[in-house]
Amino acid sequence: MQIEIDAEPFVYRMPTEHTALMLIDMQRDFLEPDGFGASLGNDVSLLRPAVDACARLLALFRAQGMPIFHTREAHRPDLGDCPPAKRLRGNPSLRIGDEGPMGRILIAGEEGTEIVSECYPQPGETVIDKPGKGAFYKTDLAAHLERLGITHLVVGGVTTEVCVQTTLREANDRGYECLLVEEATDSYFPEFKQATLAMIRAQGAIVGWTASFMAVEDGMKSSTRI
Ligand code: TIU
């Protein structure tokens, strides 16, 4: 079934059997105090609104039985997949791999690397650990999407201009039709969020579409009434 979502810069036509929800990096390390985001000097409370919206998106897609992907920015314990250029850049209070209050920063299996409880994956949902900002880089995401026949991605997560935008651009280059849900993404820099939303949908959806949560909900609920 094809549904229509009132999106910008124009309507987003979503074939439900070829669409997946993808939530990017809704991890404690970015969303809670004492994690990686805070170690970089950020106010993590700025990302809280996205948690609620992502949880509501999850409920919507789960109710329809549609495929759901979660990503985590997570490195191997030996840091073999973390280039020194990434680990050593800047002057964070804790670097990737350092022991923090929630375990080793951004290391697979550690508490801080886990997805927050509100958005925690359920059985049957796919979790992709990625060493980069983009979810396609050095992951098997593309193979999963191809196997399921996915052509359309509805996206939320953090942070808007870093991992979310990188993933949207990677997906766009691979031919996916992407919709970013406005309330379901946040940045440590609110002006960067707004700029990213604007640049994604500019030039006739040069990277993709944006829509409010309500527009997505209205579109999906209208489909269930048909
Ligand atoms: N620092 C920042 O804004 N983001 C990241 O480091 N990773 C993600 O966006 N997931």
Side-chain angles (χ1 to χ4, degrees):
M1 175 187 303
Q2 177 151 285
I3 68 172
E4 296 195 345
I5 292 174
D6 182 15
E8 288 191 65
F10 49 84
V11 66
Y12 180 74
R13 294 196 168 80
M14 185 177 110
T16 52
E17 64 278 17
H18 298 292
T19 302
L21 174 66
M22 183 150 63
L23 296 185
I24 309 289
D25 299 1
M26 294 298 288
Q27 297 166 254
R28 299 183 66 192
D29 258 330
F30 295 112
L31 293 159
E32 296 185 6
D34 300 329
F36 185 56
S39 84
L40 294 169
N42 298 304
D43 174 3
V44 296
S45 70
L46 288 165
L47 305 189
R48 284 314 292 185
V51 176
D52 180 51
C54 283
R56 295 173 70 195
L57 268 179
L58 277 170
L60 209 53
F61 277 72
R62 283 170 179 160
Q64 302 292 323
M66 291 168 70
I68 295 173
F69 288 80
H70 304 258
T71 70
R72 297 184 297 206
E73 190 169 345
H75 293 278
R76 296 201 309 256
D78 67 4
L79 291 170
D81 57 359
C82 183
K86 179 176 185 183
R87 203 177 84 80
L88 300 177
R89 189 169 304 159
N91 193 26
S93 58
L94 289 168
R95 294 189 188 278
I96 295 169
D98 287 352
E99 194 69 45
M102 296 190 289
R104 292 182 69 199
I105 297 286
L106 289 189
I107 298 297
E110 301 286 340
E111 278 176 48
T113 310
E114 262 311 338
I115 293 171
V116 292
S117 58
E118 296 91 331
C119 301
Y120 203 77
Q122 288 187 357
E125 298 173 3
T126 307
V127 179
I128 303 283
D129 279 347
K130 60 184 184 59
K133 305 304 183 199
F136 289 85
Y137 176 66
K138 288 192 175 172
T139 72
D140 55 4
L141 174 61
H144 281 286
L145 296 176
E146 274 168 36
R147 185 175 49 80
L148 293 172
I150 299 298
T151 56
H152 287 58
L153 294 169
V154 175
V155 180
V158 297
T159 62
T160 316
E161 80 283 10
V162 183
C163 291
V164 174
Q165 177 166 220
T166 304
T167 298
L168 281 168
R169 289 176 182 275
E170 284 185 331
N172 188 49
D173 279 351
R174 285 164 172 78
Y176 294 96
E177 310 269 25
C178 299
L179 173 73
L180 179 57
V181 183
E182 291 158 9
E183 299 91 334
T185 184
D186 273 313
S187 169
Y188 300 121
F189 305 88
E191 68 274 27
F192 290 176
K193 170 178 172 174
Q194 293 311 324
T196 302
L197 293 174
M199 67 177 83
I200 284 167
R201 64 191 173 220
Q203 306 182 65
I206 193 83
V207 176
W209 286 253
T210 71
S212 67
F213 175 81
M214 193 183 288
V216 176
E217 187 178 45
D218 283 352
M220 289 180 71
K221 286 195 169 157
S222 68
S223 78
T224 60
R225 286 199 295 270
I226 293 168

